[in-house]
Amino acid sequence: MAKPVVSLNQVTIRFAGDSGDGMQLTGDRFTMDTASLGNDLSTLPNYPAEIRAPQGTLPGVSSFQLHFADHHVQTPGDAPDILVAMNPAALKANIKDLKRGATIIVDKDEFTNRNLTKVGYPGNPLDDGSLDSYKVHAVPLTSLTVAALSQLTLSRKEAERSKNMFALGLLTWMYHRPTESTENFLKTKFAKKPDILEANLLAYRTGWNYGETTEDFSVSYEIAPAKMPAGQYRNISGNTAMAYGLIAASQRSGLQLFLGSYPITPASDILHELSKHKKFGVITFQAEDEIAAIGSALGAAYGGALGITTTSGPGVALKSEMIGLGVMLELPLIIIDVQRGGPSTGLPTKTEQADLLQAMFGRNGESPVAVIAPSSPSDCFAIAVEAARIATTYRVPVFILSDGYVANGSEPWKIPEVDSLPDLHVEFAKSQEDFKPYLRDTKTLARPWAIPGTKGIEHRIGGLEKADVTGDISYDAANHDLMVRARAAKVAGIEVPNLVVDDPTGEADVLLLGWGSTYGPIASAVELLRANGEHIAQAHLRYINPFPKNLGDVLKKYSKVIVPEMNLGQLSMLLRAQYLKDVIGYNMVRGLPFTTTEIVEATMEVLHG
Amino acid sequence: MADLTLTKKDFTSDQEVKWCPGCGDYSILSTMQSYLPELGIERENIVFISGIGCSSRFPYYLDTFGMHSIHGRAPTIATGLAISRPDLTVFVITGDGDSLSIGGNHLIHSLRRNIEIKILLFNNRIYGLTKGQYSPTSEQGKVTKSTPLGSLDTPFNPISLALGAEASFVARTVDSDRKHLTETLRAATAHKGSALIEIYQNCPIFNDGAFDIVKDSETKGGALLQLIHGQPIKSDTHGLVHAGASLKVVELNSVPESDLVVHDAHNPDPAYAFALSRLSASELDHVPIGVFRDVERSGYGSLVNNQVADIIAKQGAGDLHTLLTSGDTWKVD
Ligand SMILES: Cc1ncc(C[n+]2csc(CCOP(=O)(O)OP(=O)(O)O)c2C)c(N)n1
Ligand code: SF4
Ligand SMILES: [Mg+2]
């Protein structure tokens, strides 16, 4: 008899295991299969900074959370409905996040006395009743996988490594996901290793069959596709979207993309991705340090390329002096800071938004730069294109403040038509007599982009203060004052779209105002609050320097403005300073994105005290 | 085509030169301005990039493209420019503090990669611009503003350092010797990858006479061991012979001429050039001068650009639509 199928609107799954268990890959595959079914989704990878922390320990636990639904999804979900725990450490590290009644699937074989003691379980939670308020499936995952692969000539250890595919197969059955794409993925990935390919495929299918045939799993679930605007979609992470956006900007501007970068978590994947796309004329230069990375990007920009550097907070600290030179030289430059927990080395693999003031002010002198921030993984594409527009139009360094959450998280992305992307064509200074390197465009206040190789406009620039118009060295007091103000006015005058406020009833008194990656949790909190009859307005800043022109008016309109940030109040500080508005900060720095519940509760507190 | 009618005047900018009277930088500038027309490259295709220091003001005085950047980082900027604009001829102007102290990391890495840049290291063995502190090339025991009791640091030998960093072209010359400086520039610009030229430069204000022994007509003949490819290595009084695995300076009349080491700048083994570099210690009593090493090795920029060209030749130029729609995609109607 066929097993019953239950329809659900949404599910949050967390895969958790040892760093070596392949949980990120498992989560990625489940995500791709879910995306291709047309569910909306959002993901949250969470892994330790150590490549392989000691096996079976709490610090070594790596997890991947996925929220998918038949409707619009804003966040990776607050509390998982289902936890796949590959060992006792994974169970212990994650159980506190589960709702009562949640489903737990564990690899029973890993619950040995030794492994239990390692993480401080006094007894076996599978036997002692401590999990009674959950639905527990204790599956002998390891031994089933090993048994299934016994016909192959693999060592036990090698066979065991396929157990994540068993788990993936089982979940694929449970949630009616298609299997072709994962099978194709494995075939490509292990094309040169037929033994490993066979082992993975066999484990995957055995896991699927286990769900289909055993009594332990009596129902399976269906989640209908979400309604999304018509178009072609793919699932995309923030770092990949950023790399694609940069390539798009290079194509649309006709400028060669030059990336100077030094590896650092969580930014390295942009370097990795761009280095795959040399056929777009992309140059990726892995420099000796962050200073050389940005120096090379600035040198390339001076020569007429789209100069980019990617890094995280510690790298930004090293780049400061060169960013100041970019401000002085008034050359286009894109600095991508994928923020992580700080200060110092901080929390390399965790997310945070505490580099905002560093980006704004972390240089000597009056050194204004543009600062923009993507609000979701797929928004990284558009923000990269936008950074190129601002940098090349205004000849100014532009900071993109991404973070670990948007960089590594993923979501479905409606792929834009190439022709719909903005035209970023730029004009270099032409051969001319009596060339004036610092003569500003009256509208943008940009100076000419005057690249070497252009006859007749040979000139010298540098980090010393420039005389207005001629660009000669000048120590003149009045000129310095003029130039400091000119550079500030240029950045302040960058055209950015007005802030859009979402206030459907127009009756809201309280505004939730965020920036960057907090968009998802704030938006889903707003949905919940409104469903409960609350009046609440929402607005989200993608442009931080300059702020949208209408921001002052927006702030005035609401009696209370709540600003959730993953820092101790950096945007709040800017808003108070610039608009004298005493905004209410809601601040957390736990290395994790806000949950919807947290923002709902914080807002309720403000609404009703 | 190059405009071969250019003269020294064409390479002289309208900026007033502001070094101290008698500074060695003047003669280097003048020699460079005289040499550039001979290079046969249009002014707009020449770029001088410098760091910070007295010496780093150099680009302002040449009517080419130029950038006076930040302390120690000129090689990084030059690297990005040289890679992305292989059509340009890029010079780096740096001081001993700029290149060997704050910018040491960039110097060694640009030499290791063999970036197509010509680095002119103005070595005055002092920090000039900051008014006279000791530098990484100052001799041990040097008394300066920051070392009233004498410096304790062991100095760098810039030639040894460059060779250790896999440099493909390394030379030494002297600010006041126009002819030798010009020849050295000629050799460096003919070389395809990175070239490092150490230029002994006198700072009359803070380290006057540091190189007198190799500049005074009375002493220089005996102190300078001429490195001329294919010629025996000797000064007016001394010559170089093999001593086991190493090299030794001996009086000329103590050995037959045929025993002298014949200079081979193209020797693939850097140990030879390194042994030469070790002959001059802090005291400068026997100073090899000329091109220590000049070997062929692919320039980094050309390797980078070939990699791009190769993949385009094999797979065709990238198509944005294809990239964006690659991987697993699905349609929503
Ligand atoms: C980041 C930074 N640190 C310090 C300085 C101050 N500074 C300017 S030039 C210089 C040393 C210059 O010595 P050198 O490179 O030998 O050049 P010289 O003046 O002797 O030609 C120093 C320390 C600076 N400009 N920037
Ligand atoms: S301080 Fe020395 S190096 Fe600097 S300009 Fe004066 S003489 Fe030349
Ligand atoms: Mg010096």
Side-chain angles (χ1 to χ4, degrees):
Chain A
M1 209 189 76
K3 293 185 179 179
V5 177
V6 175
S7 279
L8 298 175
N9 300 116
Q10 60 176 329
V11 179
T12 298
I13 300 185
R14 187 182 293 178
F15 295 94
D18 210 57
S19 306
D21 282 342
M23 289 299 98
Q24 301 303 324
L25 175 80
T26 309
D28 265 340
R29 286 318 314 162
F30 195 87
T31 302
M32 295 311 287
D33 297 337
T34 294
S36 67
L37 258 188
N39 294 129
D40 198 5
L41 64 85
S42 170
T43 68
L44 176 66
N46 190 3
Y47 49 89
E50 293 73 23
I51 304 304
R52 292 280 159 89
Q55 219 182 350
T57 62
L58 290 171
V61 174
S62 161
S63 73
F64 186 101
Q65 185 164 315
L66 164 72
H67 176 197
F68 60 105
D70 65 359
H71 53 266
H72 188 37
V73 166
Q74 311 268 24
T75 75
D78 285 8
D81 303 300
I82 169 159
L83 171 70
V84 179
M86 301 299 280
N87 63 12
L91 179 67
K92 185 149 194 194
N94 290 289
I95 188 138
K96 59 180 186 314
D97 297 336
L98 300 187
K99 301 175 196 153
R100 276 175 184 275
T103 298
I104 301 175
I105 300 176
V106 297
D107 180 0
K108 187 164 113 182
D109 297 327
E110 286 287 318
F111 282 66
T112 60
N113 283 340
R114 197 163 159 264
N115 288 352
L116 290 166
T117 334
K118 230 189 246 180
V119 294
Y121 270 124
N124 190 341
L126 301 182
D127 306 330
D128 65 8
S130 61
L131 301 178
D132 282 355
S133 49
Y134 306 95
K135 286 191 235 89
V136 179
H137 298 271
V139 181
L141 258 159
T142 305
S143 45
L144 285 171
T145 305
V146 171
L149 306 190
S150 60
Q151 66 209 73
L152 307 179
T153 53
L154 289 176
S155 70
R156 189 184 158 91
K157 227 184 155 91
E158 282 170 320
E160 279 183 13
R161 294 190 57 186
S162 296
K163 67 185 174 190
N164 64 329
M165 284 298 125
F166 184 106
L168 179 61
L170 175 57
L171 272 288
T172 301
W173 171 83
M174 258 179 99
Y175 291 98
H176 288 242
R177 308 288 98 178
T179 54
E180 300 78 33
S181 126
T182 289
E183 296 208 352
N184 289 337
F185 167 85
L186 292 172
K187 282 172 193 158
T188 318
K189 184 172 161 87
F190 298 115
K192 293 212 178 81
K193 295 175 185 157
D195 293 2
I196 308 291
L197 169 62
E198 211 182 339
N200 277 285
L201 282 178
L202 203 54
Y204 182 56
R205 289 171 190 160
T206 310
W208 195 94
N209 289 335
Y210 183 81
E212 176 79 358
T213 50
T214 59
E215 306 257 307
D216 192 10
F217 291 89
S218 52
V219 284
S220 63
Y221 305 93
E222 260 180 354
I223 294 89
K227 274 200 200 65
M228 299 206 235
Q232 192 177 9
Y233 283 79
R234 65 182 289 164
N235 193 57
I236 200 154
S237 73
N239 274 344
T240 307
M242 190 75 81
Y244 284 10
L246 296 171
I247 294 173
S250 157
Q251 293 280 303
R252 298 296 288 175
S253 61
L255 302 175
Q256 178 162 47
L257 191 167
F258 184 101
L259 173 75
S261 187
Y262 188 77
I264 185 168
T265 303
S268 303
D269 279 341
I270 306 176
L271 165 64
H272 302 160
E273 186 63 37
L274 283 174
S275 63
K276 289 187 215 159
H277 302 293
K278 302 250 152 97
K279 65 177 169 183
F280 287 88
V282 166
I283 295 178
T284 55
F285 174 63
Q286 183 178 316
E288 59 270 23
D289 59 26
E290 278 86 353
I291 301 171
I294 187 172
S296 66
L298 187 63
Y302 173 60
L306 185 62
I308 300 156
T309 192
T310 48
T311 190
S312 188
V316 173
L318 289 172
K319 292 175 197 291
S320 306
E321 194 189 7
M322 195 69 76
I323 298 171
L325 180 63
V327 169
M328 204 62 156
L329 299 182
E330 304 195 36
L331 285 169
L333 181 66
I334 299 176
I335 304 127
I336 300 174
D337 175 5
V338 184
Q339 299 165 95
R340 63 191 220 181
S344 189
T345 310
L347 303 174
T349 59
K350 309 291 178 200
T351 196
E352 201 160 284
Q353 294 181 298
D355 294 351
L356 175 56
L357 296 182
Q358 177 177 224
M360 286 290 296
F361 305 118
R363 291 165 296 284
N364 58 306
E366 296 287 350
S367 182
V369 297
V371 181
I372 57 180
S375 53
S376 74
S378 67
D379 190 36
C380 290
F381 180 87
I383 216 84
V385 174
E386 188 57 358
R389 176 191 71 88
I390 296 173
T392 57
T393 308
Y394 297 91
R395 322 265 149 85
V396 70
V398 178
F399 253 102
I400 299 181
L401 290 178
S402 174
D403 64 33
Y405 173 46
V406 275
N408 288 324
S410 69
E411 63 182 358
W413 175 48
K414 181 163 174 271
I415 303 167
E417 291 298 335
V418 170
D419 294 340
S420 72
L421 299 173
D423 178 5
L424 298 175
H425 178 80
V426 298
E427 294 278 347
F428 296 123
K430 300 210 167 55
S431 289
Q432 56 190 276
E433 292 199 355
D434 202 19
F435 176 63
K436 300 276 186 273
Y438 275 74
L439 182 64
R440 294 178 189 282
D441 180 276
T442 46
K443 189 162 160 277
T444 61
L445 300 183
R447 75 175 192 95
W449 193 355
I451 65 173
T454 317
K455 203 173 190 64
I457 64 165
E458 298 81 7
H459 65 284
R460 277 63 54 193
I461 54 176
L464 287 168
E465 183 59 284
K466 306 272 151 309
D468 188 28
V469 182
T470 65
D472 290 341
I473 299 173
S474 168
Y475 302 113
D476 181 78
N479 176 78
H480 179 54
D481 189 80
L482 178 89
M483 292 300 271
V484 166
R485 289 174 198 278
R487 288 184 288 264
K490 181 173 79 165
V491 171
I494 292 170
E495 273 186 40
V496 305
N498 266 341
L499 184 65
V500 179
V501 182
D502 173 38
D503 183 1
T505 61
E507 286 171 41
D509 205 27
V510 175
L511 171 72
L512 266 168
L513 179 64
W515 70 277
S517 80
T518 53
Y519 177 77
I522 296 176
S524 86
V526 166
E527 259 174 37
L528 259 175
L529 287 159
R530 286 183 190 152
N532 285 320
E534 302 291 348
H535 294 297
I536 185 93
Q538 189 200 354
H540 206 76
L541 288 166
R542 287 171 88 232
Y543 299 85
I544 295 161
N545 204 30
F547 281 131
K549 301 264 176 300
N550 66 336
L551 178 57
D553 293 338
V554 170
L555 292 174
K556 263 192 219 131
K557 201 170 155 218
Y558 295 92
S559 70
K560 289 179 178 164
V561 177
I562 309 172
V563 180
E565 292 181 88
M566 295 185 284
N567 59 40
L568 294 186
Q570 301 193 6
L571 176 65
S572 292
M573 185 184 282
L574 295 177
L575 295 171
R576 288 189 190 120
Q578 195 160 331
Y579 301 102
L580 296 178
K581 175 87 179 182
D582 191 15
V583 300
I584 303 162
Y586 178 57
N587 306 93
M588 282 214 179
V589 275
R590 299 170 310 149
L592 287 168
F594 286 108
T595 64
T596 305
T597 319
E598 284 161 357
I599 295 185
V600 167
E601 283 169 3
T603 310
M604 290 299 279
E605 182 72 27
V606 172
L607 283 167
H608 306 294
Chain B
M1 257 306 290
D3 178 358
L4 297 175
T5 63
L6 291 173
T7 63
K8 177 175 183 183
K9 206 165 146 268
D10 293 308
F11 284 98
T12 306
S13 79
D14 59 359
Q15 299 295 300
E16 186 195 340
V17 184
K18 288 186 179 158
W19 290 307
C20 309
C23 176
D25 293 351
Y26 281 100
S27 41
I28 305 173
L29 175 64
S30 168
T31 304
M32 178 60 92
Q33 286 164 336
S34 303
Y35 168 67
L36 285 176
E38 170 194 326
L39 192 55
I41 296 173
E42 294 90 338
R43 291 183 301 176
E44 67 270 21
N45 290 330
I46 299 174
V47 186
F48 283 86
I49 298 185
S50 63
I52 298 288
C54 296
S55 37
S56 288
R57 297 294 175 96
F58 200 83
Y60 287 116
Y61 309 133
L62 289 154
D63 201 358
T64 62
F65 276 86
M67 187 199 292
H68 177 217
S69 74
I70 51 177
H71 200 18
R73 318 302 175 192
T76 72
I77 296 168
T79 291
L81 184 64
I83 296 173
S84 60
R85 291 290 306 274
D87 56 317
L88 303 174
T89 297
V90 182
F91 291 91
V92 168
I93 305 294
T94 181
D96 43 319
D98 194 61
S99 63
L100 298 172
S101 200
I102 191 166
N105 199 28
H106 311 308
L107 179 77
I108 56 176
H109 287 280
S110 46
L111 293 175
R112 154 178 90 82
R113 293 191 181 100
N114 208 25
I115 310 281
E116 291 87 340
I117 54 179
K118 314 300 165 201
I119 305 170
L120 276 59
L121 194 174
F122 293 31
N123 183 7
N124 54 12
R125 306 186 75 176
I126 199 83
Y127 283 5
L129 191 69
T130 46
K131 303 194 173 164
Q133 302 82 3
Y134 76 113
S135 90
T137 55
S138 299
E139 59 278 18
Q140 202 170 31
K142 181 151 196 100
V143 174
T144 71
K145 275 191 193 142
S146 58
T147 51
L149 302 181
S151 81
L152 303 172
D153 302 27
T154 299
F156 266 142
N157 175 329
I159 305 285
S160 302
L161 181 78
L163 290 166
E166 307 287 346
S168 58
F169 181 103
V170 185
R172 175 186 288 141
T173 184
V174 181
D175 56 4
S176 51
D177 189 342
R178 262 175 175 277
K179 183 164 162 286
H180 194 268
L181 177 52
T182 304
E183 276 166 23
T184 312
L185 287 173
R186 205 172 278 143
T189 45
H191 178 77
K192 286 210 180 58
S194 300
L196 178 94
I197 307 178
E198 179 191 14
I199 307 175
Y200 283 166
Q201 176 240 323
N202 192 40
C203 168
I205 306 297
F206 296 113
N207 200 15
D208 195 26
F211 304 105
D212 277 358
I213 189 163
V214 299
K215 292 167 83 147
D216 284 2
S217 49
E218 275 185 19
T219 49
K220 76 175 190 190
L224 290 175
L225 290 162
Q226 301 290 340
L227 300 176
I228 303 164
H229 182 73
Q231 302 284 322
I233 301 173
K234 55 182 185 177
S235 66
D236 291 353
T237 54
H238 289 73
L240 205 57
V241 295
H242 291 285
S246 187
L247 301 169
K248 196 170 82 182
V249 180
V250 294
E251 285 188 22
L252 272 185
N253 52 22
S254 69
V255 291
E257 168 104 10
S258 58
D259 275 12
L260 296 183
V261 175
V262 173
H263 184 46
D264 179 9
H266 310 316
N267 189 335
D269 180 6
Y272 163 71
F274 191 81
L276 286 176
S277 77
R278 304 313 292 172
L279 294 170
S280 56
S282 276
E283 316 73 69
L284 304 184
D285 37 5
H286 296 290
V287 179
I289 187 158
V291 178
F292 287 71
R293 178 171 172 79
D294 180 1
V295 296
E296 262 191 54
R297 183 151 73 82
S298 299
Y300 184 82
S302 75
L303 292 174
V304 168
N305 288 298
N306 287 345
Q307 208 173 47
V308 170
D310 281 355
I311 195 85
I312 292 175
K314 274 195 206 112
Q315 302 183 357
D319 173 68
L320 187 56
H321 176 77
T322 310
L323 172 71
L324 299 185
T325 54
S326 61
D328 291 339
T329 67
W330 67 97
K331 280 226 157 67
V332 173
D333 301 315

